[in-house]
């Protein structure tokens, strides 16, 4: 056994690559290897010597196994020795934080506004942005000769189809398939071929409101818009109504809101139009205008967002520069 172990160990010392190591393993530790043969030949050993020889055989086997494992480990090291050094990575350093996105400031504004009106019992309605002339004009009591229908002031797709120029279209679409009472708000995009500057865009957002029931008055309109402005801008804001004209409301008004500058001065900002729904509009959707009255309003969403966040140029909102958008 000792001779065998010595021979095996000597040979192993001369092994310098994994192929030679594998040959050595087969020779000594393989299924037909020298250790296996020694074990098989235990039967030839006289009975009294068997325990001692058996023990020696086992020790040989264990010794050669661990010698093999050690050599394998050493060879492994030598194989990686010549490789170029891996870059040193400190896995304990904090990782790169992914940038998390969030809702666009206009979307946030719409959500905030809808939330306030929802508390007052308004549900949210939507209408198509590609609209027909009927819903954008005729049904809203805007006659065919009206200047607002000028092709130069609208994005027509063909003679009767256009990009809606106002969310008032949704008033008609909702009333067409609802029996009163109706109490909705309709946020969304509208399109007008305006020259782009700090306060104008060819696309912007409005929020329309409509409340039709028995006995709805202008006082309801006044208090609803005043409460909304206080909820959205703060309790110290004041609102005022100025007489105005819209074909689909009678009487009509424009709503202004009073803001205070840091230096103590005040200024009014126009938020949008409103009024009592014109009887012609109610009759068009087959509502009995003797029985029902209603109010409507349409407010500019960009204008509100810009006031609230002190944004000075509407173009920032649509340029998708994340350095700007991240601020909100
Ligand atoms: N649609 C009007 C516009 O875009 C705004 C408006 C005025 C909406 C009066 C209304 C309203 O509902 O009653 O200029």
């Amino acid at each position: 056994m000792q001779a065998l172990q010595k021979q095996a160990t000597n040979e192993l010392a001369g092994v310098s690559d994994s192929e030679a190591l594998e040959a050595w393993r087969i020779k000594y530790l393989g299924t037909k290897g020298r250790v296996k043969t020694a074990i098989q030949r235990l039967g030839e050993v006289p009975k009294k010597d068997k325990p001692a020889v058996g023990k020696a055989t086992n020790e040989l086997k264990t010794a050669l196994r661990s010698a093999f494992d050690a050599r394998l480990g050493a060879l492994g090291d030598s194989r990686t020795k010549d490789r170029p050094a891996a870059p040193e990575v400190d896995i304990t350093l904090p990782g790169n934080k992914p940038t998390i996105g969030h809702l666009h400031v206009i979307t946030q504004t719409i959500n905030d506004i809808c939330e306030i009106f929802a508390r007052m019992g308004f549900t949210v309605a939507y209408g198509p942005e590609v609209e027909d002339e009927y819903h954008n004009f005729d049904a809203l009591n805007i006659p065919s000769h009206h200047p607002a229908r000028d092709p130069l002031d609208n994005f027509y797709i063909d003679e009767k189809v256009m990009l809606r120029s106002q969310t008032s279209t949704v008033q008609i679409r909702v009333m067409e398939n609802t029996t009163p009472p109706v109490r909705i708000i309709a946020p969304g995009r509208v399109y007008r071929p305006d020259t782009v500057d700090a306060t104008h865009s060819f696309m912007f957002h409005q929020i329309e409101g409509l409340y039709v029931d028995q006995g709805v008055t202008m006082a309801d309109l006044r208090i609803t818009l005043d409460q909304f402005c206080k909820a959205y801008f703060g309790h110290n804001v004041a609102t005022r109504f100025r007489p105005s004209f819209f074909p689909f409301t009678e009487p009509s008004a424009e709503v202004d809101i009073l803001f205070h500058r840091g230096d103590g001065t005040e200024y009014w900002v126009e938020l949008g139009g409103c009024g009592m729904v014109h009887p012609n509009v109610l009759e068009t959707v087959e509502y009995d205008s003797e029985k029902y009255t209603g109010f409507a309003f349409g407010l500019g969403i960009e204008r509100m967002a810009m006031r609230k966040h002190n944004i000075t140029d509407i173009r920032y909102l649509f340029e998708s520069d994340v350095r700007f958008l991240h601020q909100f």
Side-chain angles (χ1 to χ4, degrees):
M1 295 300 170
Q2 275 161 10
L4 186 55
Q5 181 166 356
K6 196 161 186 203
Q7 181 195 349
T9 319
N10 283 344
E11 274 178 38
L12 189 60
V15 160
S16 60
D17 58 41
S18 51
E19 246 172 76
L21 181 63
E22 179 61 6
W24 182 93
R25 188 192 65 77
I26 291 166
K27 180 174 176 184
Y28 291 100
L29 294 168
T31 39
K32 288 180 184 149
R34 303 287 284 272
V35 172
K36 197 65 180 238
T37 315
I39 293 167
Q40 280 161 357
R41 288 186 60 192
L42 269 178
E44 300 164 24
V45 175
K47 206 171 180 174
K48 63 173 171 56
D49 296 333
K50 240 181 211 163
V53 180
K55 188 167 174 252
T57 313
N58 261 335
E59 279 166 6
L60 171 69
K61 188 174 150 190
T62 315
L64 293 190
R65 273 233 152 266
S66 59
F68 171 80
D69 288 344
R71 197 81 197 106
L72 187 66
L75 274 185
D77 283 347
S78 79
R79 263 177 290 152
T80 55
K81 206 162 54 197
D82 302 331
R83 280 198 208 147
E88 276 184 26
V89 177
D90 183 350
I91 60 164
T92 65
L93 285 174
N96 292 332
K97 248 193 180 171
T99 319
I100 308 288
H102 60 70
L103 294 178
H104 190 279
V105 58
I106 289 296
T107 312
Q108 292 178 35
T109 306
I110 291 173
N111 290 350
D112 292 348
I113 296 171
C114 289
E115 213 251 16
I116 293 168
F117 280 112
R119 280 188 251 148
M120 294 194 264
F122 288 80
T123 48
V124 181
Y126 297 98
E129 290 173 29
V130 177
E131 190 48 283
D132 50 52
E133 271 198 313
Y134 175 76
H135 288 92
N136 202 88
F137 296 128
D138 299 299
L140 286 162
N141 200 35
I142 303 173
S144 47
H145 57 80
H146 196 280
R149 298 178 71 141
D150 192 321
L152 293 176
D153 292 330
N154 294 280
F155 286 114
Y156 279 90
I157 290 169
D158 61 35
E159 275 198 11
K160 299 250 166 264
V161 181
M162 59 187 300
L163 298 181
R164 69 179 177 193
S165 64
Q166 49 185 357
T167 45
S168 305
T169 55
V170 189
Q171 292 186 32
I172 305 301
R173 291 200 169 267
V174 168
M175 287 191 286
E176 275 171 347
N177 45 45
T178 319
T179 48
V182 170
R183 188 154 49 187
I184 57 104
I185 45 166
R189 293 193 178 111
V190 299
Y191 301 85
R192 291 176 199 179
D194 285 338
T195 304
V196 176
D197 64 21
T199 53
H200 294 87
S201 170
F202 50 85
M203 182 282 296
F204 56 100
H205 297 73
Q206 290 185 329
I207 188 150
E208 195 78 10
L210 174 70
Y211 178 26
V212 181
D213 201 349
Q214 295 184 45
V216 176
T217 71
M218 197 132 183
D220 298 315
L221 171 60
R222 186 89 179 79
I223 193 71
T224 301
L225 287 181
D226 192 66
Q227 287 298 303
F228 163 72
C229 288
K230 287 187 159 60
Y232 186 68
F233 289 105
H235 278 274
N236 58 348
V237 303
T239 56
R240 77 176 175 195
F241 276 34
R242 272 181 297 117
S244 186
F245 174 82
F246 297 101
F248 36 92
T249 44
E250 181 60 33
S252 304
E254 259 155 294
V255 211
D256 297 340
I257 177 165
L258 183 64
F259 287 100
H260 304 269
R261 290 201 190 86
D263 64 5
T265 55
E266 300 173 330
Y267 62 109
W268 291 98
V269 173
E270 183 194 318
L271 276 194
C274 62
M276 299 306 292
V277 181
H278 197 291
N280 288 357
V281 174
L282 295 175
E283 294 298 334
T284 298
V285 294
E286 290 169 4
Y287 280 15
D288 182 351
S289 64
E290 293 294 325
K291 188 172 169 191
Y292 295 106
T293 53
F295 69 65
F297 57 84
L299 312 176
I301 289 176
E302 279 76 7
R303 206 166 267 194
M304 286 193 261
M306 288 167 75
R307 276 293 126 223
K308 179 118 175 174
H309 301 289
N310 272 315
I311 298 166
T312 50
D313 194 318
I314 195 173
R315 288 168 289 198
Y316 290 140
L317 292 170
F318 305 123
E319 276 169 0
S320 305
D321 184 336
V322 289
R323 292 171 303 177
F324 169 78
L325 295 174
H326 268 312
Q327 302 174 81
F328 308 101

